[in-house]
């Protein structure tokens, strides 16, 4: 059975590449979506645009001896940028598409907006990420590999939520505060504090 592009699971393919399928981005699946989308863009040679290692060449002036060659490079970059933006848009749920419609031609701006929406670098978000991480328990019938995958996804959210220059000393202080909050959260007299 074929899947429509509105389905949560969408298969992208062309005659020159093998089909890739993974769930579209929705609230709650950023870690796995980001890994899959990065792999998708890398497999198509487009990730260097996303990580900004490849930038749009300057357009040549009319009198430039290498005008045609340089213009071909500009057009190739623009085409690859459109492909990356299209690939990203195709792998977003309709709710997620709303947040990047105004950036549809710029895959880097789309990515940055999506990352900002799904990965919050705030103390309370880090607390919740740690709390979720330490609350992971194996579910009945769940395989060990699935538990490990959930642990890896949770750790990814913790790492993504850290400020760029996050130190071990800062983590130690935050863990102490988190431990106190967790300890007090069950005490009725402290409900207004937590």
């Amino acid at each position: 059975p074929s899947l429509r592009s509105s389905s949560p699971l969408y298969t992208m393919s062309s005659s020159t590449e093998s089909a890739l399928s993974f769930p579209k981005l929705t609230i709650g699946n950023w870690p796995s979506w980001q890994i899959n989308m990065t792999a998708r863009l890398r497999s198509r040679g487009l990730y260097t645009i996303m990580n900004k290692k490849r930038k749009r060449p300057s357009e040549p002036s009319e009198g430039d001896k290498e005008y045609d060659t340089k213009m071909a490079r500009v057009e190739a970059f623009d085409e690859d940028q459109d492909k990356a933006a299209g690939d990203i848009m195709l792998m977003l749920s309709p709710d997620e598409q709303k947040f990047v419609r105004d950036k549809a031609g710029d895959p880097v701006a789309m990515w940055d907006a999506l990352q900002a929406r799904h990965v919050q670098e705030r103390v309370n978000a880090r607390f919740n990420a740690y709390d979720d991480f330490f609350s992971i328990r194996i579910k009945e019938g769940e395989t060990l590999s699935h538990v490990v995958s959930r642990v890896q996804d949770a750790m990814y959210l913790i790492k993504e939520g850290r400020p760029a220059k996050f130190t071990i000393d800062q983590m130690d202080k935050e863990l102490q505060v988190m431990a106190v909050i967790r300890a007090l959260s069950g005490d009725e007299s402290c409900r207004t504090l937590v």
Side-chain angles (χ1 to χ4, degrees):
S2 65
L3 296 169
R4 294 191 332 252
S5 63
S6 61
S7 168
L9 185 66
Y10 181 68
T11 302
M12 293 192 281
S13 65
S14 75
S15 59
T16 59
E17 58 189 274
S18 61
L20 296 172
S21 63
F22 55 92
K24 290 184 173 193
L25 180 62
T26 59
I27 295 295
N29 73 338
W30 171 262
S32 60
W33 182 87
Q34 184 264 342
I35 290 167
N36 286 316
M37 196 70 233
T38 298
R40 166 72 180 167
L41 294 168
R42 283 186 173 161
S43 73
R44 292 180 29 89
L46 305 172
Y47 192 71
T48 54
I49 291 172
M50 304 305 297
N51 66 11
K52 302 173 189 169
K53 288 183 179 176
R54 184 171 156 212
K55 299 193 185 300
R56 187 176 194 271
S58 300
E59 291 192 25
S61 57
E62 289 292 326
D64 194 322
K65 293 178 186 178
E66 297 178 30
Y67 180 86
D68 291 339
T69 303
K70 290 180 179 180
M71 201 59 207
R73 287 185 192 130
V74 170
E75 291 168 358
F77 179 90
D78 290 346
E79 186 177 321
D80 285 350
Q81 187 173 29
D82 284 345
K83 287 178 187 176
D87 282 357
I88 292 169
M89 189 64 85
L90 284 171
M91 294 310 298
L92 301 177
S93 68
D95 287 339
E96 296 301 318
Q97 288 176 350
K98 293 176 196 174
F99 293 96
V100 295
R101 280 194 184 120
D102 61 331
K103 300 165 184 57
D106 184 348
V108 174
M110 292 170 71
W111 191 273
D112 291 346
L114 292 166
Q115 187 169 21
R117 174 172 159 76
H118 291 274
V119 181
Q120 300 173 357
E121 292 186 6
R122 294 195 304 253
V123 174
N124 61 336
R126 286 196 301 277
F127 172 82
N128 291 334
Y130 277 113
D131 193 49
D132 291 345
F133 181 78
F134 289 117
S135 297
I136 293 173
R137 301 288 182 269
I138 192 163
K139 298 174 185 172
E140 188 170 330
E142 186 176 31
T143 64
L144 180 58
S145 63
H146 190 259
V147 173
V148 170
S149 178
R150 288 194 301 127
V151 167
Q152 289 171 336
D153 286 349
M155 180 52 75
Y156 176 81
L157 288 176
I158 289 169
K159 288 179 178 180
E160 285 293 305
R162 293 179 190 152
K165 296 182 179 181
F166 195 67
T167 67
I168 296 292
D169 287 336
Q170 288 172 307
M171 184 177 73
D172 290 345
K173 289 175 185 172
E174 284 193 4
L175 286 172
Q176 289 176 40
V177 171
M178 289 175 194
V180 170
I181 291 171
R182 284 192 71 164
L184 296 176
S185 63
D187 186 341
E188 283 299 320
S189 66
C190 298
R191 277 287 178 219
T192 56
L193 297 176
V194 291

